[in-house]
Amino acid sequence: MKSLEIKKDIFWVGAVDYASRDFHGYSLSPQGTTYNAYVVRDEKNVLFDTVKHEFTGTLVCRLSKLMKPEDIDYIVVNHVELDHSGALPRMIELCKPEAVLCSPKGKSAIEAHFPGWEAWPLKVVKSGDSVSIGKRSIRFLETPMLHWPDSMFSHIPEDRLLISNDAFGQNIASSERFADEIDPAVVDHAMTEYYHNIVLPYSPQVLKVLGQIEEMKLEVDMIAPDHGLIFRGKDAVRSCLETYRRFAEQKTQKRAVIVYDTMWHSTRKMAHAIAEGLNDAGVPSRIMDMKDNHHSAVMTELARCGLVIVGSPTHNNGIMPFVSAMLTYMKGLRPKNRLAGAFGSYGWSGECVKILSEALQGMGFDMPVDPVRHRCVPTHETLGACHAMGKALAEALIARCDEG
Ligand code: FEO
C-alpha cells in the first residue's frame, strides 16, 4: 500500500471505498467512492483532511510510508463531515500536531462531533488567511455550503494546487488517481451525478465561490478534490471551473425526462404516448420507471433536461410511493428553470394529477399544459391526448429555450 506523489513532495494518502453504496440517500451504485487525503512535506509537514473512520488504518499505512505520523505538524480540516473527519480523532492522537486548522464554522462542527475536542490544538483560519509551512504557504478560502457551512478550500500558490474538498468531486472508486487516466465521458457523468445529488441546492454559493476564485486570481493548475479523481493541467482546471459554472447556472437543453410508476400499465402506456409526442415535436426524452431507477439517477438525468414530466396512478388517495419519494428528494435538491407536466390513471377517486401538479408547482416549475388523467385503461383518444400533451410541452420548451 503506497502513497502517490501528485506534485513534488505532495502526496495522496487517501482510501478507495469500492463497497459504499449510499451517501445520505444518493446511490453510489455501482461505483463506490474515494476519500482523498493529502500530505505536503515541507519544513512543516501538513495532512489535509482524513478519511471515513473504517479506513483509518489505510490512511495511517500510506502516511507511514512517507514519514512517522508524529512528524505531521499541522492537520487541516477542510470539512468536518465524517467521510473526511472520521479518522480525525485517531490522527490527532497519533500525530500530536502543533495545530489543527479549521474554519470558524469548522470549529463549531468539530465541537458538535467530537467529545474531547477541548484537548485539541484547534486554530481557526478565515478566508484570505495564509500560513507559512516553509518553502510553501497555505491560503484558505471559506466555501460555506460547499457542501456544509464549515467547508473551505486550501490553496498552495507555490504549487498552483487547490485542495477543494467536496467541490469538483466525483464518486468513483478506481485504481486511477487522475481524471486524464480514464474515459472523459465517465468523469463527466460522475461529476454531473455528484453535483446534482449533493451540490445543486447550493448553486448560488457555487457561483459566489467561482467569482472569488477569479477575484483572488488564484493560480491553479491542479484541483485535488476529496472524492474521486484529481484534475491536472490548466486545461483540465479551466474545464472544471466552466463545468461548475454551467451546473450552477442550471442551463438546460431541449430534452425531457418522463418519470412514472404504474400498477397495471395504464400510466406506462400514457408515458410512452407522451414520449412519442415529444419526439414528434423534436424533443428527445428518457422514460424512467421508478421501479427500475433510483431517484439519484433521475436527478442526474434532470441535469440536462429543461422539462420533467411525472406520472402516477392514484394509489390510496395519493400517489405511488416511489414517485412520492422521488419528488421529495428532487424538491430538497432545488432544481430551477424547468417546465413540468403531470399525468396518471386512476380507478375511482383520481387525485393523482392534482397531487403531482401541486408538488411540481411547489418546486417553482411552470406547467404550461393541462395534465392528462384517465380512468383505468387508456383509450385511443386518451393516448392521443397524451401525445398532444407531449407535443405541446415540447413546443413550450423549444420556445423557452429559443428565448434564451
Ligand atoms: Fe464528502 Fe460533505 O462530505
Side-chain angles (χ1 to χ4, degrees), residues 23 79 81 83-84 147-148 166 194 227:
F23 186 78
H79 180 25
E81 191 161 17
D83 47 338
H84 309 293
H147 127 261
W148 272 12
D166 279 338
Y194 183 95
H227 294 288

Side-chain angles (χ1 to χ4, degrees), residues 23-24 33-35 79-85 146-148 150-151 165-167 171 194 198 226-227:
F23 186 78
H24 40 57
T33 191
T34 57
Y35 315 110
H79 180 25
V80 180
E81 191 161 17
L82 291 166
D83 47 338
H84 309 293
S85 70
L146 248 163
H147 127 261
W148 272 12
D150 65 297
S151 300
N165 195 258
D166 279 338
N171 285 317
Y194 183 95
I198 294 184
D226 275 9
H227 294 288

Side-chain angles (χ1 to χ4, degrees), residues 91-254:
M91 296 314 291
I92 292 175
E93 189 178 48
L94 283 176
C95 300
K96 301 179 181 55
E98 276 175 51
V100 174
L101 306 167
C102 60
S103 69
K105 291 274 172 58
K107 179 169 185 287
S108 164
I110 285 172
E111 291 170 10
H113 278 81
F114 301 110
W117 64 269
E118 296 90 342
W120 294 357
L122 296 182
K123 180 174 180 211
V124 169
V125 289
K126 295 180 182 159
S127 280
D129 286 356
S130 189
V131 172
S132 172
I133 58 169
K135 294 192 288 291
R136 301 173 175 82
S137 55
I138 310 166
R139 199 172 175 201
F140 299 97
L141 173 62
E142 290 169 74
T143 57
M145 303 321 296
L146 248 163
H147 127 261
W148 272 12
D150 65 297
S151 300
M152 67 177 184
F153 288 173
S154 298
H155 180 232
I156 303 178
E158 294 80 2
D159 291 290
R160 296 176 299 285
L161 172 65
L162 184 68
I163 299 176
S164 62
N165 195 258
D166 279 338
F168 310 110
Q170 337 90 49
N171 285 317
I172 292 179
S174 67
S175 303
E176 294 85 358
R177 296 273 64 80
F178 291 101
D180 54 44
E181 295 175 315
I182 70 167
D183 183 345
V186 172
V187 180
D188 183 63
H189 180 83
M191 269 187 102
T192 304
E193 180 191 83
Y194 183 95
Y195 188 95
H196 291 84
N197 282 279
I198 294 184
V199 187
L200 188 65
Y202 312 116
S203 291
Q205 290 89 338
V206 170
L207 291 173
K208 192 170 166 202
V209 167
L210 292 175
Q212 287 174 316
I213 289 173
E214 277 176 21
E215 270 168 37
M216 294 167 78
K217 298 191 186 339
L218 291 193
E219 287 210 23
V220 180
D221 68 9
M222 183 179 284
I223 295 178
D226 275 9
H227 294 288
L229 304 164
I230 298 165
F231 299 91
R232 59 182 165 188
K234 285 190 175 170
D235 288 348
V237 167
R238 192 179 311 113
S239 170
C240 258
L241 298 175
E242 283 169 2
T243 297
Y244 256 47
R245 182 169 295 283
R246 177 164 50 83
F247 287 163
E249 288 174 348
Q250 299 212 38
K251 288 191 173 157
T252 55
Q253 300 170 21
K254 294 171 188 172

Side-chain angles (χ1 to χ4, degrees), residues 57-87:
T58 303
L59 170 60
V60 172
C61 188
R62 290 197 204 282
L63 173 62
S64 301
K65 296 282 166 62
L66 294 171
M67 62 186 71
K68 294 187 210 126
E70 58 266 34
D71 290 339
I72 290 288
D73 299 288
Y74 300 149
I75 297 178
V76 173
V77 180
N78 281 319
H79 180 25
V80 180
E81 191 161 17
L82 291 166
D83 47 338
H84 309 293
S85 70

